Amino acid sequence: MMDLEAELPRLIPKAIEWAVSQERHALVAGRPLSAQMIGVARHVGVASPEAVRIVEIDRLPRPSDPELSAVVDETGLLGPSMVGLALGYAVFIVAGHGTARLISHEFRHVHQYESNNGISGFLPIYLGQIARYGYRDAPMEIDAREHEVHSI
């Protein structure tokens, strides 16, 4: 098992590169938010909801890089129970799982990206929290859960 905290300085540039490429694809392929979804995004703090794109997919994207893939496996970040992922303004939702709770949770992560100057500012903080506290207890995950809405 790798010492994620120790390895992060070396892995973060690769994680940022992967996340930026996924976001770039999603901003072209994804659908803009409906007026109702713009309201939800604003409610949880998204400053530029018109920039957000939602991509409905069969399964969440995974990095092909072996080291990043190992981190994903060890942390459970993109495990089989994960059905949503925000990467900058891109929100990936596994088909059939687009609940108000999940979408609002991912929109809160979009707000966190905005508050930390995008992917390159957010990922070092977020992954550092995952390494230090674990996924469930990472402060940014707690914040996202606290901003979930249960109906739209």
Side-chain angles (χ1 to χ4, degrees):
M1 188 157 173
M2 89 170 51
D3 179 355
L4 183 54
E5 239 179 321
E7 295 294 328
L8 274 181
R10 192 175 58 74
L11 294 173
I12 281 176
K14 292 201 288 190
I16 290 169
E17 183 181 354
W18 175 79
V20 166
S21 73
Q22 293 298 311
E23 181 194 37
R24 191 176 304 121
H25 165 74
L27 293 180
V28 173
R31 70 176 190 274
L33 303 186
S34 66
Q36 188 178 36
M37 288 293 117
I38 286 174
V40 172
R42 283 199 175 111
H43 176 76
V44 300
V46 175
S48 299
E50 64 285 344
V52 177
R53 295 294 180 269
I54 293 182
V55 180
E56 196 170 299
I57 50 176
D58 292 330
R59 64 175 196 251
L60 296 179
R62 284 182 58 89
S64 56
D65 178 273
E67 285 185 303
L68 291 181
S69 189
V71 168
V72 162
D73 290 340
E74 282 188 29
T75 59
L77 266 176
L78 295 173
S81 65
M82 301 295 278
V83 291
L85 174 67
L87 296 170
Y89 284 109
V91 175
F92 297 89
I93 303 290
V94 173
H97 293 276
T99 64
R101 185 202 61 76
L102 177 65
I103 291 170
S104 60
H105 180 102
E106 298 308 328
F107 285 173
R108 184 62 180 183
H109 285 309
V110 171
H111 162 76
Q112 294 167 350
Y113 279 100
E114 288 178 327
S115 300
N116 290 286
N117 298 311
I119 289 171
S120 62
F122 171 85
L123 275 184
I125 297 167
Y126 180 77
L127 294 175
Q129 290 179 1
I130 298 294
R132 196 165 302 116
Y133 305 108
Y135 173 77
R136 181 124 192 102
D137 296 323
M140 286 181 163
E141 281 301 326
I142 292 169
D143 176 70
R145 285 194 305 273
E146 288 173 349
H147 285 84
E148 291 173 357
V149 298
H150 296 279
S151 64
I152 299 173

